[in-house]
Structures are given as C-alpha cells and as structure tokens.
Amino acid sequence: PCLRLDGVDVEAGAAEEVAAGRADAGVEPARLSPMLVVLDSCVLTLYALFFAIVGLCLSGEAFVPPGLPTLQDAKEIAFTFDTCASHVVAWGVSAAASGALAEDWLSLPADEHASAPGGVARVVVAWLLSVPLFEFLRALAALSIGPIADDTWPTAAGISYPGGSVGTLAMMVWWRRWLLDATPR
C-alpha cells in the first residue's frame, strides 16, 4: 500500500524514512535517455577527434614523409583515443549525475531551460562536474601509456580543444540548444 506524504507517493515502509529526513526514500531516480547518451557521446567524440586532427595538421607532423610507424606514433595515437574516451566518460557520468541525460530533459518546461545559463537546463552543472573528472581520467591515460620518447610524457599538445574546457561547454550548450530547437514538443 502507498501513502501520500507531502504530495509524493511513497511505500508504507519508506514513510518513516521520508519523515526522518530522507527526501529521496520511495522516489525513483530519473531514468537515463539512451538517445541523449548516444548523441552526446557521438558529439563529444567527433569534437575531440576533429581537434586532434587539426592539432596534427597544425603541428606539421602530418606532412612528414611517412616511414615505418614507431612506438612513439602508437603511443600518441593511443593517448589521443584515451583522451577522447576520457572526455566522453567524464561527460556521461557528470551529465547523468546532474540530470542532463534524464529521459525527461527534452520535455522540461521551456521556462526551466530559458532561466538556465545558455538556455539549456542542467548542462552547466554537468560541465562543472565533468572538468575535474576529465582531467583525472586524462592523467590516468597518460600514466597508463608511460613516457613517449626520451622520458617525455604525453600531453594534450595535439589534442587541445579551443578554449579548453570552456570550448567544450560552448559546444555542448550549442548542441543541446540546437537539439531543443529541432525537437518538436
């Protein structure tokens, strides 16, 4: 049997927990939207790989006559993909925690999106959570690969994003704003 407590349906055994201060007792967490998870992952992957390729072209290494691939080349490629994966995982975890990947995100009231920074609800919070997680995961990637050549550790030199993490925020705000405008409600 369910009870109604402060406008929320809760199980009979959870009513005491709610009364004792556990506001989330008996309330099911928001479900993740598989569509948003896949689309955000694809957008971040394309964004990261695009700027890795741009960085490679700007470094001049792309125009060196090809020789035999070296261990250094393999480590740089591995670090590029590890950084891209770190980006996607950090965003996914933080966006899930902030509710930016919730099934109901697209159907939030327009005023909730309008009052949020950039006109998209929950994205800035997800970004704030993702920055330290991304840096941590990228550091783990560098440690897992080890020194590339002459005891030089991999850096994000060829994997820099315009404006760093601020560029990522701008891109995600633009992407989600476009998604909101393109989705009929």
Side-chain angles (χ1 to χ4, degrees):
C2 285
L3 300 174
R4 191 143 184 90
L5 182 62
D6 292 333
V8 178
D9 290 331
V10 294
E11 295 293 321
E16 294 81 23
E17 292 180 40
V18 172
R22 286 215 41 224
D24 63 339
V27 178
E28 193 171 316
R31 295 176 47 118
L32 294 181
S33 167
M35 178 191 73
L36 287 176
V37 171
V38 169
L39 290 177
D40 279 5
S41 297
C42 289
V43 166
L44 279 170
T45 300
L46 290 174
Y47 178 73
L49 289 178
F50 173 77
F51 284 107
I53 292 168
V54 167
L56 177 66
C57 291
L58 293 178
S59 73
E61 289 183 36
F63 306 109
V64 175
L68 292 175
T70 64
L71 180 60
Q72 178 179 349
D73 293 334
K75 287 183 175 185
E76 288 175 356
I77 291 168
F79 186 65
T80 300
F81 284 111
D82 286 352
T83 300
C84 181
S86 299
H87 217 67
V88 171
V89 169
W91 177 263
V93 169
S94 62
S98 69
L101 290 178
E103 281 184 337
D104 67 344
W105 186 86
L106 280 169
S107 61
L108 289 174
D111 60 334
E112 187 173 340
H113 284 296
S115 65
V120 285
R122 305 175 184 166
V123 170
V124 173
V125 174
W127 172 74
L128 287 172
L129 294 172
S130 74
V131 171
L133 183 58
F134 167 67
E135 293 300 333
F136 173 74
L137 292 173
R138 186 168 64 169
L140 282 180
L143 286 174
S144 71
I145 292 171
I148 290 182
D150 301 327
D151 294 329
T152 304
W153 287 85
T155 63
I159 311 161
S160 58
Y161 308 107
S165 58
V166 175
T168 301
L169 172 64
M171 193 267 315
M172 289 307 290
V173 166
W174 172 82
W175 153 244
R176 286 296 190 94
R177 185 75 249 157
W178 180 87
L179 186 62
L180 281 173
D181 292 342
T183 305
R185 293 186 195 217

